[in-house]
Amino acid sequence: MTTGIKPAAREAIHVFLEENRKFPPPASFQSQAWVKDESIYERADKDPEGYWAHWAGELDWFKPWTKVLEWKAPYAQWFLGGKLNASVNCVDRHLKGPRKNKTAILWEGEPGDTRSLTYEELSREVNRFANVLKKLGVRKGDRVTLYLPMIPELAIALLASARIGAVHSVIFGGFSAESLRDRINDAQAKILITANRGWRRGKPVALKEAADEALKAAPSIEKVVVVKRGDHPIEFKPGRDLWWHELMKEVSDQCEPEPMESEDLLFILYTSGTTGKPKGIVHTTGGYLTGVYATTKWVFDLKENDIYWCTADIGWVTGHSYVVYGPLANGATVVMYEGAPDWPEKNRFWKLIEKYKVTIFYTAPTAIRAFMKWGDEFPKRSDLSSLRLLGTVGEPINPEAWMWYHEKIGGGRCPVVDTWWQTETGMIMITPLPGVTTLKPGSATKPFPGVSAEVLNEAGETVSVGGGYAALTKPWPAMLRTIFNDSKRYEEEYWLKWKGKAYFTGDGAKRDDEGYFWFLGRVDDVLNVAGHRIGTMEVESALVDHPAVAEAAVVGKSHEIKGQALAAFVTVKEGTAPTPELAQKLKDHVAKKIGVIARPDDIIFSADLPKTRSGKIMRRLLRDIAEGKTLGDTTTLADPQVVARLKDQYEEKEG
Ligand code: PRX
């Protein structure tokens, strides 16, 4: 589409429109919402510890805490002296009243098979599997790695591991054998739980094969528990591999929960950073559970009769916090779906919403942009009138996608909560409260009550109106405690920038004159591809691992649906021909090393990469080339000709 307006002018008009398009909460929503007025922000601000302690008091504790917060920057401890168990809070406590027979999980597999579990049934499964883990020798503090499709067993295994005090580490099923191996080794996990297959767009996902490959060099694993998902033949290693369903037959459905210290580890979740090595983000029990419990209740305005569906895979933090722990701690009915949104047709999500009468729907902007592209006819085929609230997470949502979501999915009546947070924050941090906040499409709005966030400049000074870095200025209960086995990296990556005074999020943001936050994407070498976080260094290491590659630089470029896509600039070794076949091979190589989610869209061969005189690759210029922008300053380059050549080559390729 050409409008005849220059891009810069168009952007300025957009900014104006974005900041001035406002949606106050609909009266009918507001009147029934948990939070109806803004006074809570001030009250929480005056006494954050008292406020968070109030939330923690809504959980079940074996022993009350004696101190709410101990903050020795950058290390926080919440609810010291308190003892609790996450599985008790997500399951047992609902068995005392009418929730006992309430549906906890409504699951649908991609082929259309279904399963539903009441809280009582979930409790039996969790207790059984907790006993299985114990029988396999798992003790408090041991690590358990999960590499599973989106099936109920994944949620069950999480809760079972929490029940006995084991630390779970879930690896998303889209990661490769090598990624799985590295993460098992980093965590020194004792047990691996996987499945004979998963389903994705009608095809098997070969999880067990990848697990076998990973285990060739992951000696800490003693046993592999395999869930049988249909009749898919796999190799079974006697003595090491065990079937989930057989183990479950042999154990009782009663397992005493381990009383955990508030600060005992609940899980490790690996995420990408600015180096080639993923980091194991550490979350503990009491604070994490308090944070996800509170945010689930207020951000989604969750009520007893809601049918809640968060489409995230449990392999990511969104699945941990808002498929499992947050909603189950609230006693919600949670929809879980295994497969792709476009299988067997592009209306699968809408069919599920109609079928299960979903009232709260939480998904990613990348999915919304794909739905928009597929066309309105797909949602139109289903009755979506059960919906009352919509949410998004994972990346900035462009106002056009927000408006489409609001109108075509929400029928113009559902508030849209754009929630900003991270694997590290554990819980939603910046978000509307749907009964209070006037929404502006494209803005995640304001910090959740009790959360302190600001935009800071390089020097750490507050930017009241304008752009800078998003920063978190006070500890919050669900914050990461450290990076597993690497506290130095924890201190350096998140706290060094402002000398322990604020947490560096890695995100650029601006604040408007009403204090709203507008997130602008990452400012470090982390990319966000279809809502998946990928480190450029990881992809570069995977590329240079290939024998044909001498050097590689990976940058993000805008992508209509995925938000960002990967463009890799590659220099091949002498004597190697830079052919289209090689480009294909390199893409496959990255998929094999990291996983399909990291496969670059473009491989651009180049005889040289633009470098400063000190030899540093100038990624900024490569980004400009990939985005087709006018090139910035090239005077610091060792060989300015390199970029000119690359730019010509890239433009030729893009045609
Ligand atoms: O850049 C921000 C983006 O996703 C990053 C965190 O990624 P991850 O740890 O994988 O967690 C994703 C799910 C919580 C952030 O640093 N991000 C997340 N939510 C938003 C967002 N960017 C803009 N708006 C959001 N609502």
Side-chain angles (χ1 to χ4, degrees):
M1 189 177 74
T2 59
T3 58
I5 305 174
K6 289 214 170 80
R10 192 159 53 223
E11 199 176 313
I13 294 169
H14 262 134
V15 167
F16 179 80
L17 284 176
E18 279 166 26
E19 291 183 357
N20 289 284
R21 205 155 30 183
K22 295 181 182 175
F23 293 85
S28 56
F29 192 97
Q30 188 166 40
S31 63
Q32 61 78 59
W34 281 122
V35 194
K36 299 184 179 57
D37 72 85
E38 286 193 320
S39 61
I40 185 62
Y41 287 100
E42 215 183 298
R43 275 186 282 147
D45 226 31
K46 270 197 189 129
D47 177 19
E49 288 183 30
Y51 162 86
W52 286 119
H54 187 80
W55 276 117
E58 290 195 19
L59 299 177
D60 278 12
W61 295 76
F62 297 122
K63 186 169 161 261
W65 61 89
T66 49
K67 191 167 186 204
V68 176
L69 169 66
E70 188 160 294
W71 176 232
K72 290 186 184 147
Y75 295 98
Q77 297 190 76
W78 284 85
F79 309 116
L80 270 110
K83 286 192 176 195
L84 78 169
N85 184 288
S87 83
V88 169
N89 276 285
C90 291
V91 185
D92 303 33
R93 68 176 179 149
H94 307 310
L95 305 180
K96 294 171 200 153
R99 280 192 192 144
K100 182 174 167 184
N101 297 317
K102 179 176 174 175
T103 305
I105 295 177
L106 273 172
W107 174 81
E108 186 158 316
E110 195 188 75
D113 42 345
T114 59
R115 199 171 157 198
S116 105
L117 291 159
T118 63
Y119 272 96
E120 193 182 23
E121 287 161 343
L122 178 63
S123 161
R124 277 198 225 115
E125 298 288 303
V126 169
N127 277 270
R128 274 211 184 93
F129 197 65
N131 279 327
V132 166
L133 289 175
K134 271 189 165 172
K135 214 170 148 185
L136 297 179
V138 181
R139 298 287 169 261
K140 183 179 170 185
D142 286 345
R143 272 81 60 209
V144 174
T145 296
L146 296 96
Y147 187 58
L148 282 166
M150 272 292 280
I151 52 178
E153 284 81 355
L154 180 45
I156 292 164
L158 246 59
L159 295 167
S161 127
R163 191 165 192 86
I164 63 165
V167 178
H168 58 73
S169 162
V170 185
I171 314 300
F172 173 60
F175 279 114
S176 66
E178 289 188 31
S179 293
L180 174 64
R181 177 200 63 200
D182 293 348
R183 286 158 175 77
I184 292 173
N185 288 337
D186 189 78
Q188 286 293 294
K190 215 168 173 178
I191 303 284
L192 174 66
I193 305 164
T194 187
N196 62 340
R197 69 168 297 165
W199 286 95
R200 192 76 185 172
R201 297 204 172 85
K203 295 203 186 79
V205 182
L207 293 165
K208 177 63 164 61
E209 284 85 334
D212 286 340
E213 184 60 33
L215 293 185
K216 285 183 186 159
S220 63
I221 295 290
E222 293 169 9
K223 299 282 178 208
V224 180
V225 179
V226 187
V227 178
K228 194 161 184 291
R229 175 98 182 83
D231 289 320
H232 184 74
I234 50 162
E235 261 181 48
F236 215 74
K237 193 167 170 186
R240 184 194 75 180
D241 297 351
L242 305 156
W243 285 114
W244 171 292
H245 59 275
E246 286 177 1
L247 292 166
M248 290 289 264
K249 272 190 231 148
E250 299 161 3
V251 289
S252 109
D253 59 8
Q254 298 291 319
C255 175
E256 270 306 299
E258 185 75 32
M260 303 293 282
E261 295 286 344
S262 180
E263 281 299 327
D264 277 336
L265 263 63
L266 179 59
F267 65 86
I268 304 170
L269 184 58
Y270 287 88
T271 190
S272 294
T274 49
T275 72
K277 192 176 179 297
K279 36 192 182 182
I281 302 300
V282 169
H283 283 289
T284 57
T285 312
Y288 172 80
L289 213 57
T290 301
V292 297
Y293 169 79
T295 45
T296 304
K297 185 163 171 178
W298 276 8
V299 174
F300 301 110
D301 190 50
L302 188 70
K303 305 284 169 43
E304 202 56 51
N305 293 327
D306 276 312
I307 308 288
Y308 167 96
W309 183 20
C310 163
T311 65
D313 192 290
I314 294 176
W316 305 109
V317 75
T318 308
H320 283 59
S321 300
Y322 298 106
V323 176
V324 182
Y325 289 111
L328 295 179
N330 276 281
T333 298
V334 175
V335 172
M336 248 177 105
Y337 167 60
E338 177 188 27
D342 55 350
W343 190 266
E345 275 194 277
K346 295 188 169 71
N347 65 342
R348 186 66 182 270
F349 275 15
W350 320 130
K351 275 178 89 169
L352 286 163
I353 290 178
E354 176 177 307
K355 177 171 173 190
Y356 295 108
K357 301 204 165 31
V358 172
T359 57
I360 300 170
F361 180 64
Y362 188 35
T363 196
T366 186
I368 298 167
R369 288 191 294 266
F371 301 144
M372 262 175 95
K373 192 163 186 199
W374 295 339
D376 299 356
E377 70 263 31
F378 294 104
K380 266 194 199 143
R381 280 195 225 156
S382 299
D383 176 6
L384 304 179
S385 62
S386 56
L387 289 170
R388 67 180 197 92
L389 181 81
L390 301 174
T392 75
V393 58
E395 46 177 327
I397 180 161
N398 45 314
E400 292 74 13
W402 194 103
M403 292 298 293
W404 184 89
Y405 193 36
H406 184 254
E407 280 164 27
K408 308 289 178 193
I409 306 305
R413 68 182 183 279
C414 306
V416 176
V417 290
D418 171 358
T419 62
W420 178 93
W421 58 296
Q422 308 178 303
T423 306
E424 291 88 341
T425 69
M427 62 186 242
I428 293 171
M429 299 295 281
I430 299 185
T431 173
L433 288 180
V436 174
T437 314
T438 291
L439 307 171
K440 299 186 192 181
S443 167
T445 77
K446 302 205 170 173
F448 187 77
V451 167
S452 295
E454 287 189 37
V455 170
L456 300 181
N457 65 15
E458 194 65 38
E461 295 150 352
T462 302
V463 178
S464 320
V465 181
Y469 303 110
L472 302 166
T473 48
K474 281 202 186 111
W476 63 101
M479 68 189 276
L480 78 164
R481 297 306 194 256
T482 188
I483 292 173
F484 193 66
N485 283 335
D486 203 348
S487 289
K488 191 163 164 277
R489 190 172 175 193
Y490 166 70
E491 292 171 12
E492 287 174 0
E493 287 204 5
Y494 303 109
W495 299 95
L496 190 64
K497 191 173 184 70
W498 296 304
K499 313 229 164 11
K501 289 205 183 69
Y503 166 94
F504 174 62
T505 62
D507 275 36
K510 65 175 186 193
R511 280 189 104 168
D512 67 19
D513 53 9
E514 291 181 300
Y516 279 52
F517 282 77
W518 298 77
F519 282 92
L520 305 170
R522 303 285 305 194
V523 293
D524 52 9
D525 290 325
V526 172
L527 301 177
N528 197 324
V529 178
H532 299 149
R533 193 162 145 182
I534 295 166
T536 50
M537 292 275 280
E538 282 173 69
V539 185
E540 287 167 9
S541 321
L543 284 165
V544 295
D545 173 79
H546 191 279
V549 175
E551 204 170 28
V554 171
V555 297
K557 61 167 204 172
S558 314
H559 186 280
E560 196 191 348
I561 292 181
K562 296 194 268 190
Q564 280 190 304
L566 300 176
F569 292 82
V570 170
T571 311
V572 288
K573 286 190 183 147
E574 288 238 346
T576 308
T579 58
E581 292 72 41
L582 178 62
Q584 196 53 45
K585 274 192 193 145
L586 294 181
K587 290 181 187 177
D588 293 346
H589 185 71
V590 174
K592 180 170 173 282
K593 295 290 292 183
I594 305 175
V596 282
I597 53 168
R599 177 192 286 271
D601 271 31
D602 291 331
I603 302 268
I604 302 109
F605 290 114
S606 160
D608 274 307
L609 294 175
K611 287 189 191 139
T612 59
R613 287 182 202 110
S614 60
K616 215 174 147 224
I617 296 177
M618 299 218 13
R619 286 200 178 71
R620 179 178 53 80
L621 287 174
L622 293 176
R623 271 197 294 271
D624 289 347
I625 294 172
E627 296 284 14
K629 283 192 191 152
T630 348
L631 295 184
D633 184 12
T634 57
T635 49
T636 51
L637 283 178
D639 174 8
Q641 290 301 319
V642 172
V643 242
R645 281 197 299 271
L646 256 178
K647 194 166 160 31
D648 289 347
Q649 202 182 324
Y650 194 78
E651 280 162 6
E652 214 171 282
K653 180 172 170 292
E654 294 285 286

